């Protein structure tokens, strides 16, 4: 599997079952630098977003750059409803075996830099349903924030994507398609700097398990401290 290990047996926390819900504020044991600014806290938001400093409850994605100034990472911003199905897990980790795997992956994709991860935040959306769903469809994807305290990376892993849109975003309740599809990318919070993964907010985003910027279908990796 593309996904790094996750779940309660890995020591993960689990988000509450709450539509448009969020984790409690997570104090980072290692500060994380994103687009040149360093943050001490994040929120894991049910709707496919990891946000810095404050939660994001919005369920229909907007195009980047957002004018509201919220800096966040969006592995799959869409109207998740974990009451109807699925779980959202997260943990901060310094597990040496996992960090070695992450380091090997990043060094393979970015061979001109030497990276030795010392910390990671692993967030996994496991078979999550969409708002208004009348189907059994679920999405499984993961985002990893990691650093060696000099360079800061984000890894997006897509294992199984079956829907793009919740019913309140004009999606079809039976298929989870149509309307305003999911958005994937990065919003710096400064009105200027952002990145949209190709296919975002189009029907094509359902194919993200087959696309990549590192020649591994379903995986996207970015250096995000000074975004590249």
């Amino acid at each position: 599997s593309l996904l790094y290990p996750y779940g309660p047996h890995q020591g993960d926390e689990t988000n509450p079952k709450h539509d448009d819900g969020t984790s409690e504020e997570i104090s980072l044991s290692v500060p994380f630098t994103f687009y040149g600014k360093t943050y001490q806290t994040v929120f894991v938001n049910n709707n496919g977003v990891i946000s810095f400093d404050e939660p994001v409850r919005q369920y229909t994605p907007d195009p980047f750059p957002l004018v509201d100034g919220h800096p966040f990472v969006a592995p799959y911003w869409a109207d998740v409803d974990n009451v109807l199905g699925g779980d959202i897990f997260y943990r901060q980790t310094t597990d040496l075996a996992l960090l070695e795997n992450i380091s090997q992956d990043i060094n393979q994709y970015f061979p001109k830099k030497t990276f030795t991860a010392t910390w990671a935040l692993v967030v996994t959306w496991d078979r999550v349903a969409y708002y208004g769903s009348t189907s059994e469809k679920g999405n499984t994807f993961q985002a990893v924030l990691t650093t060696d305290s000099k360079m800061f990376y984000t890894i997006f892993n897509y294992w199984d994507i079956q829907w793009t849109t919740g019913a309140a975003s004009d999606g079809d309740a039976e298929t989870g398609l149509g309307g305003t599809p999911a958005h994937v990318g990065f919003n710096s919070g400064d009105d200027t700097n952002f990145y949209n993964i190709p296919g975002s907010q189009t029907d094509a985003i359902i194919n993200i398990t087959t696309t990549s910027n590192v020649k591994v279908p379903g995986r996207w990796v970015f250096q995000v401290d000074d975004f590249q």
Side-chain angles (χ1 to χ4, degrees):
S1 167
L2 276 185
L3 303 181
Y4 299 109
Y6 69 92
H9 57 289
Q10 297 290 335
D12 283 5
E13 305 283 330
T14 306
N15 266 18
K17 296 277 188 182
H18 194 273
D19 183 41
D20 303 328
T22 179
S23 69
E24 59 194 28
E25 185 174 47
I26 302 163
S27 293
L28 300 178
S29 53
V30 174
F32 195 83
T33 302
F34 180 64
Y35 280 104
K37 288 186 183 172
T38 300
Y39 299 95
Q40 309 274 354
T41 62
V42 298
F43 289 84
V44 171
N45 304 280
N46 289 2
N47 290 334
V49 171
I50 302 168
S51 55
F52 298 97
D53 289 350
E54 55 188 298
V56 172
R57 298 181 185 274
Q58 184 177 329
Y59 53 85
T60 300
D62 280 327
F64 296 159
L66 299 184
V67 293
D68 62 14
H70 290 170
F72 64 75
V73 168
Y76 202 81
W77 185 17
D79 198 357
V80 170
D81 189 347
N82 65 341
V83 179
L84 289 178
D87 289 291
I88 296 138
F89 300 111
Y90 65 90
R91 75 182 180 283
Q92 298 185 68
T93 182
T94 54
D95 177 78
L96 288 176
L98 175 63
L99 293 176
E100 191 174 324
N101 279 352
I102 290 171
S103 302
Q104 282 179 348
D105 287 340
I106 288 175
N107 287 318
Q108 180 187 335
Y109 310 142
F110 301 93
K112 292 178 182 167
K113 302 177 180 186
T114 305
F115 178 78
T116 305
T118 55
W119 168 92
L121 171 69
V122 181
V123 182
T124 311
W125 286 260
D126 182 45
R127 293 172 297 182
V128 291
Y130 55 93
Y131 180 80
S133 171
T134 60
S135 75
E136 298 292 310
K137 288 186 172 186
N139 285 348
T140 299
F141 57 96
Q142 187 178 69
V144 178
L145 276 56
T146 187
T147 183
D148 61 0
S149 291
K150 296 185 290 291
M151 292 178 282
F152 296 79
Y153 287 91
T154 297
I155 303 168
F156 291 167
N157 293 321
Y158 301 93
W159 185 241
D160 189 18
I161 299 296
Q162 301 182 353
W163 62 266
T164 63
T165 322
S169 309
D170 297 325
D172 183 291
E174 201 172 320
T175 64
L177 305 174
T180 304
H183 196 116
V184 181
F186 301 87
N187 190 66
S188 71
D190 66 7
D191 294 350
T192 308
N193 293 296
F194 64 95
Y195 180 76
N196 299 321
I197 281 183
S200 284
Q201 291 203 291
T202 76
D203 296 338
I205 202 66
I206 200 161
N207 299 318
I208 198 163
T209 53
T210 67
T211 63
S212 177
N213 66 335
V214 292
K215 298 181 179 166
V216 179
R219 175 171 284 171
W220 291 75
V221 187
F222 300 90
Q223 186 175 348
V224 296
D225 43 293
D226 176 21
F227 189 87
Q228 295 171 28

